[in-house]
Structure formats: C-alpha cells, structure tokens
Amino acid sequence: QKEVEQNSGPLSVPEGAIASLNCTYSDRVSQSFFWYRQYSGKSPELIMSIYSNGDKEDGRFTAQLNKASQYVSLLIRDSQPSDSATYLCAVILTGGGNKLTFGTGTQLKVEL
Amino acid sequence: GAVVSQHPSRVICKSGTSVKIECRSLDFQATTMFWYRQFPKQSLMLMATSNEGSKATYEQGVEKDKFLINHASLTLSTLTVTSAHPEDSSFYICSAFRAVTGELFFGEGSRLTVL
C-alpha cells in the first residue's frame, strides 16, 4: 500500500458544481495533512492545512479529516474553470520530521 | 503570506557542466528546506532535506556527490547539479518549512534542460 493514495483522475465537473477530491494515508498516527494545488508547469501552492478531525473551511474550499478512517478530502464549492489543476494531498508521516509525503495527485477539470 | 523565491526559473546547459539553483525564504527563517524533483506527469519526488548549519539528508537513490546541497543561512539553500547529463533534465522545486505555522511553502521551481 502506498503511503498516500489519490485517484489520478481526471475528475471532470461542470462549472458551479462541487468538486470532491479524496486521499487516504497508511500511517495511523499521522497528525498533519495538507492540500496543494499545482498548475501545469508550475510549483505547488498550499491551499489548506488540517490537523484535527472534522471540517475546516476557507472560502470555497473545505478540508475534511477522518483519522479513524485515515481519510482526508477537499471539497471545492462553486467550481470555476480556473480551479482546473492537479491537487496534491500531502501528509507528514510519523518519524518523518517535517518531511511531507505526497500523493500522486488528482487532476481536476472544470468544464464550462 | 510566506514567499519562497527560487532562481533561476529556467536554465539550459551543456552536458558535463554544473548548475546552481538558489532557494530563499523571503519573510521567514527556515531551518529546514527540502529539494524535490518532478518529471513530466509525475508527482514530486523528495531528493533531500537541507538543514541550516549541517549536512543535508539525502533520500535513498539520490547521489549526494552529484546533487550538492548547501544551507549556509536561515534563508538560503542551494542545490548544485554537478556534471549534469540529459537524464538530469527535470523540474527542480525547493520548499521551506515555516516552523511557527507548521506549513511548507514552495519556490517557483527551476526547469533544467541539459543538452
């Protein structure tokens, strides 16, 4: 099992819809989770960090964490074409110091 | 917000030459910086962890003598690709860890092309 797993997609949603991106991780005691957005040819940009079970909202973005299920998700409300990018889930694994382990990313396409 | 600056953004060099890439944290001190490499349509691969004032920690399979890392100050880390070959062509991205918030911020990336 990979340490951080994401569906590679592409995930296609119509403009204005909710995009749901999912991520599972293998380390039961991981405490820090992050979502990054990466446009083609660009470096990743931090969108959200989440450390506690439940939901964390920031504008159109909501991160959801369920440590019991080892599952973290990102919801994007009112999706816009400019949201089309690859979304990377990242986890700080136990014993990894401050080192992030990334999933392979999910490509999101928001269609007009 | 936090800004991490990386330079140069693009570099083309001849096979056998060395290339230096700089990574600076502009508005916070970073005792730890990370260097990643990303090939087309693949995810980020961690190459090494750069610690201010000490030797870098390299990931398995990464040649420390080929990828020289220097973290001489709390705001600057450099990656030198020595004796570059075409297979070293890639997108190299640095990141800096902001301890106060526990967040990692990325530089803009450097696209290296070795002819």
Side-chain angles (χ1 to χ4, degrees):
Chain A
Q1 182 187 7
K2 292 182 181 177
E3 293 172 316
V4 182
E5 290 202 65
Q6 294 180 257
N7 188 319
S8 61
L11 172 66
S12 294
V13 300
E15 184 178 6
I18 296 175
S20 177
L21 304 160
N22 304 315
C23 174
T24 57
Y25 57 95
S26 61
D27 183 353
R28 289 186 174 275
V29 292
S30 292
Q31 298 293 323
S32 305
F33 307 88
F34 306 86
W35 281 101
Y36 287 83
R37 177 176 61 198
Q38 186 176 25
Y39 292 111
S40 181
K42 302 294 185 182
S43 68
E45 172 191 9
L46 179 65
I47 298 175
M48 298 276 286
S49 58
I50 186 166
Y51 307 99
S52 304
N53 277 326
D55 295 358
K56 179 181 178 182
E57 187 174 318
D58 184 359
R60 294 186 297 113
F61 299 99
T62 299
Q64 299 175 317
L65 175 61
N66 183 325
K67 292 183 181 180
S69 300
Q70 295 171 233
Y71 175 95
V72 57
S73 65
L74 179 69
L75 301 178
I76 306 175
R77 289 181 299 281
D78 188 23
S79 295
Q80 302 296 310
S82 58
D83 294 327
S84 298
T86 296
Y87 289 80
L88 299 166
C89 171
V91 178
I92 293 181
L93 300 177
T94 305
N98 301 319
K99 187 168 62 176
L100 283 179
T101 299
F102 285 87
T104 53
T106 299
Q107 184 183 4
L108 173 66
K109 293 184 178 180
V110 180
E111 299 169 335
L112 294 170
Chain B
V3 178
V4 176
S5 175
Q6 192 172 337
H7 178 82
S9 58
R10 290 181 181 272
V11 58
I12 301 172
C13 69
K14 292 182 179 180
S15 185
T17 61
S18 295
V19 174
K20 179 186 283 189
I21 302 170
E22 293 187 348
C23 179
R24 294 179 186 274
S25 57
L26 298 184
D27 59 357
F28 65 96
Q29 293 182 330
T31 55
T32 305
M33 291 185 176
F34 301 92
W35 287 95
Y36 293 84
R37 180 168 53 184
Q38 187 176 38
F39 293 105
K41 299 191 184 301
Q42 295 186 23
S43 190
L44 296 159
M45 290 177 53
L46 179 65
M47 298 176 67
T49 302
S50 173
N51 301 299
E52 188 268 336
S54 64
K55 291 183 179 180
T57 304
Y58 290 82
E59 295 299 301
Q60 191 172 14
V62 178
E63 299 175 60
K64 63 180 181 180
D65 294 330
K66 181 170 182 63
F67 299 99
L68 301 178
I69 291 172
N70 187 323
H71 193 155
S73 77
L74 286 171
T75 59
L76 174 64
S77 176
T78 61
L79 168 68
T80 301
V81 183
T82 62
S83 186
H85 291 285
E87 58 266 30
D88 297 323
S89 299
S90 187
F91 192 43
Y92 291 86
I93 312 172
C94 75
S95 64
F97 180 75
R98 185 165 69 177
V100 172
T101 58
E103 294 170 325
L104 191 70
F105 296 93
F106 284 86
E108 304 96 329
S110 300
R111 189 163 301 282
L112 171 64
T113 302
V114 184
L115 302 177

